[in-house]
Amino acid sequence: MEEPYRIKINGGVLSPGELKYICEAAESLGLDAISFGSRQDIIFPEQIDESKFDQFSKIQFIKPKRDGIQNIASSYVSAEILPSTSWLTSDRYLYILEQFKHKLKLRVNITDPRQRLVPLFTGNVNFIASDHEDYWYLYVRLPGWKKTLMYPALIYSWDMDKIEIAIENILQEEPETIETVFDLVSDAVDTNNRTVDKPLEVPFYPFPYYEGMNRIGTDRYWLGLYWRNNRYDLKFLKAMCELCSENKIGKISITPWKSFIVKGIPLKAKLQWEKFLGKFGINVRHSMLEMNWHLPVNDREALNLKKYLVTNFDQNDISTYGLTFGITSYESDTYNFTSIVIEKNKQPDIIGDFKIRDTYNLLYAKNFDPNTQQYIMHVQDVDKVELPGLLMELSQLYFEQLGTEREEEEVSVIKKERSEEEVYQCSECLTVYNEVYGDVTQDIAPNTPFEKLEDTYECSLCEAPKSSFEKKVLVK
């Protein structure tokens, strides 16, 4: 299959005006839909006439393998709506992304370790926010490297672009160690590095539900939209961009899961948006069973396999809460970033009309956390009909291991400190209310006891009522 044309979207964030312009360009090129990529870029899913590109001066059409140009992935999309590092606001992301004006030769990730929507380590150059304001861990995996390695210094926000350029410039020297990269970059540019004072901690959060209308604070909403076939209708997108402009919404964010999110919908416009979605017949009630999958773009065989597996999960009433699944093949050159990977094997070369069934391998990330970057082979060379049962087996293993790990961690901590803390946890989505911190999203001050909250209090993430919260004791 010929590689599709893509449009580079810096950090996966663009204005309604920019998206509308791209939609109009796609229409002029004979398309009725666009798709999204795992690098938060926009993909033209069908062949288009290259001779017409000059008509659209604001768009750079690229084919990554041919043109050697890469996109920046960022977790801007999760700011304000998912757990986040306190200093890393939406505005801070935009200021940082604005630095990167050159044509990137390497994949760059700019992410918050406290969110789960955007993978941390799928780039060649991965900036991950630290607890120190405006300082970032840097994890590097250059082409040809088998592992992602930590750069031995924290990077200042306003040095990120020049350090990435310096890393690009030393590629021809083929550095083999992170120490060599550090020395060469330090020789090439002056930086405001800071000493790494503690290892990167990536807390484990279950994979979030990212669809539908959800509350932010007291007066705004965010809307996640997902199409299972990854073909987003241009007429709908153009009308949505106009509605965004009418509501003074400045940005639209693409996720790596081939969906997008609109943040900042005013409370007074909620009904208007719901009517708009109804007018276009948009479904915002997909099951989590469907939404936690990463598939190759325009791969009908992978999409059919996903449908087959999801149907089996649904029929057997299997929970996959917190897990993510990816379908890949032996020829894929992308990094895995899901909890469980279904890998299609290469068929042997056959002479004559003899047919061989496809076979698959199943891998899972250590502790089912893809951020460990370590994958364990579960089974090899199994038939398609065996996959549902094996995936259910892995899902069960995940929940058993999750409980065991937590108990072991609690026991070991009890021995060390024996301190306890009472919190209240939403039974629907597991969000925690801790009176020490209050709830900034709903203007509830720190040190506000749960009993003092109004009866109208709702979960800040899923809007479950106060009665859905249960008292828990955290051992520290």
Side-chain angles (χ1 to χ4, degrees):
M1 186 173 63
E2 186 177 346
E3 182 187 13
Y5 275 99
R6 296 171 179 254
I7 299 173
K8 183 173 168 285
I9 306 296
N10 217 19
V13 52
L14 73 173
S15 70
E18 289 168 329
L19 179 55
K20 185 179 178 184
Y21 180 82
I22 291 169
C23 290
E24 290 169 346
E27 278 186 329
S28 299
L29 292 165
L31 301 180
D32 60 6
I34 58 173
S35 298
F36 299 125
S38 58
R39 295 291 301 169
Q40 297 168 276
D41 45 6
I42 288 176
I43 300 172
F44 284 4
E46 295 153 17
Q47 291 189 14
I48 49 181
D49 186 352
E50 297 183 26
S51 65
K52 295 183 179 180
F53 286 0
D54 290 342
Q55 300 175 28
F56 310 105
S57 57
K58 297 178 184 177
I59 297 176
Q60 181 185 10
F61 300 90
I62 64 171
K63 286 192 172 182
K65 290 180 183 175
R66 185 188 74 185
D67 301 331
I69 298 172
Q70 301 292 347
N71 195 45
I72 296 180
S74 86
S75 53
Y76 170 92
V77 62
S78 66
E80 299 172 4
I81 66 173
L82 294 175
S84 60
T85 300
S86 59
W87 60 266
L88 191 48
T89 61
S90 295
D91 287 346
R92 194 72 59 99
Y93 276 109
L94 295 177
Y95 288 135
I96 289 168
L97 289 168
E98 188 62 26
Q99 290 180 61
F100 291 82
K101 296 184 182 297
H102 67 288
K103 295 177 181 177
L104 294 167
K105 298 176 185 174
L106 295 173
R107 294 174 176 169
V108 175
N109 284 23
I110 298 174
T111 54
D112 189 329
R114 298 184 184 278
Q115 54 78 45
R116 300 291 291 186
L117 192 57
V118 179
L120 308 185
F121 299 105
T122 53
N124 303 114
V125 177
N126 304 282
F127 296 101
I128 302 171
S130 78
D131 291 335
H132 300 291
E133 184 169 351
D134 272 326
Y135 280 90
W136 303 74
Y137 293 93
L138 171 57
Y139 280 77
V140 179
R141 181 175 177 172
L142 297 183
W145 285 18
K146 295 190 181 300
K147 290 186 177 180
T148 305
L149 301 173
M150 189 185 79
Y151 194 80
L154 296 180
I155 307 302
Y156 186 48
S157 286
W158 316 116
D159 290 339
M160 290 162 69
D161 177 51
K162 63 182 182 181
I163 284 178
E164 196 281 330
I165 292 174
I167 293 174
E168 286 188 6
N169 290 338
I170 66 172
L171 286 178
Q172 58 192 7
E173 302 187 36
E174 298 184 355
E176 295 182 355
T177 68
I178 196 66
E179 290 75 21
T180 303
V181 172
F182 176 75
D183 291 341
L184 291 171
V185 169
S186 298
D187 289 343
V189 294
D190 291 328
T191 59
N192 296 286
N193 291 345
R194 180 171 179 151
T195 303
V196 177
D197 54 0
K198 62 178 180 178
L200 171 65
E201 295 178 3
V202 182
F204 182 83
Y205 292 103
F207 185 68
Y209 189 82
Y210 55 83
E211 192 184 35
M213 193 78 74
N214 303 272
R215 180 82 65 86
I216 311 176
T218 57
D219 60 350
R220 293 181 303 149
Y221 284 83
W222 64 270
L223 172 67
L225 292 174
Y226 164 83
W227 268 238
R228 53 167 71 97
N229 64 359
N230 193 20
R231 289 183 59 86
Y232 289 81
D233 180 74
L234 296 176
K235 290 181 179 177
F236 166 75
L237 289 177
K238 288 198 302 179
M240 187 202 68
C241 289
E242 291 171 1
L243 185 55
C244 284
S245 298
E246 183 182 327
N247 290 158
K248 296 182 171 55
I249 294 168
K251 299 296 179 186
I252 295 167
S253 312
I254 301 169
T255 83
W257 302 88
K258 302 177 176 67
S259 63
F260 69 94
I261 285 175
V262 179
K263 295 187 282 189
I265 295 172
L267 177 65
K268 62 183 180 181
K270 181 173 183 277
L271 181 59
Q272 181 186 15
W273 276 82
E274 288 173 344
K275 287 182 176 179
F276 171 75
L277 295 174
K279 173 186 171 185
F280 280 91
I282 304 302
N283 176 21
V284 290
R285 291 289 181 269
H286 290 97
S287 163
M288 175 67 100
L289 288 174
E290 291 195 46
M291 296 176 59
N292 54 359
W293 288 77
H294 178 252
L295 273 60
V297 174
N298 282 353
D299 190 327
R300 184 163 295 280
E301 186 179 340
L303 183 61
N304 288 337
L305 177 58
K306 173 200 165 182
K307 289 178 180 176
Y308 166 73
L309 295 171
V310 167
T311 300
N312 272 274
F313 278 7
D314 193 38
Q315 289 172 345
N316 288 279
D317 204 21
I318 297 297
S319 170
T320 60
Y321 179 70
L323 286 172
T324 51
F325 299 84
I327 296 176
T328 184
S329 69
Y330 64 92
E331 57 192 5
S332 173
D333 62 352
T334 58
Y335 301 146
N336 294 322
F337 65 86
T338 56
S339 311
I340 295 172
V341 177
I342 302 148
E343 180 183 69
K344 180 183 174 183
N345 287 316
K346 181 180 181 180
Q347 285 205 347
D349 295 327
I350 299 298
I351 298 174
D353 296 331
F354 190 73
K355 292 184 178 180
I356 293 182
R357 289 195 301 256
D358 289 328
T359 63
Y360 302 86
N361 305 325
L362 277 184
L363 302 88
Y364 65 96
K366 182 180 178 183
N367 297 331
F368 292 92
D369 181 358
N371 285 323
T372 64
Q373 306 169 74
Q374 298 178 46
Y375 282 84
I376 299 163
M377 184 69 72
H378 185 57
V379 291
Q380 288 182 282
D381 300 320
V382 298
D383 287 342
K384 175 181 174 181
V385 293
E386 298 178 78
L387 288 175
L390 289 165
L391 287 170
M392 292 174 201
E393 179 183 292
L394 273 179
S395 297
Q396 186 176 6
L397 178 63
Y398 161 69
F399 287 110
E400 289 174 355
Q401 182 171 313
L402 192 64
T404 303
E405 283 177 351
R406 284 178 177 170
E407 288 171 11
E408 288 173 353
E409 288 169 5
E410 288 177 3
V411 168
S412 63
V413 174
I414 289 170
K415 290 177 181 176
K416 290 177 183 176
E417 300 186 15
R418 298 179 182 274
S419 67
E420 297 182 352
E421 183 176 25
E422 285 188 358
V423 298
Y424 288 80
Q425 186 173 49
C426 174
S427 59
E428 300 294 326
C429 70
L430 307 185
T431 294
V432 169
Y433 176 82
N434 188 327
E435 68 178 44
V436 173
Y437 305 110
D439 185 346
V440 67
T441 67
Q442 301 186 58
D443 297 323
I444 294 170
N447 300 314
T448 302
F450 185 80
E451 295 80 4
K452 298 281 181 153
L453 298 180
E454 300 287 342
D455 290 339
T456 55
Y457 177 76
E458 296 177 339
C459 173
S460 57
L461 183 60
C462 72
E463 296 183 301
K466 183 181 177 183
S467 59
S468 293
F469 282 77
E470 299 173 351
K471 183 187 286 188
K472 304 281 186 181
V473 177
L474 292 183
V475 180
K476 290 181 141 187

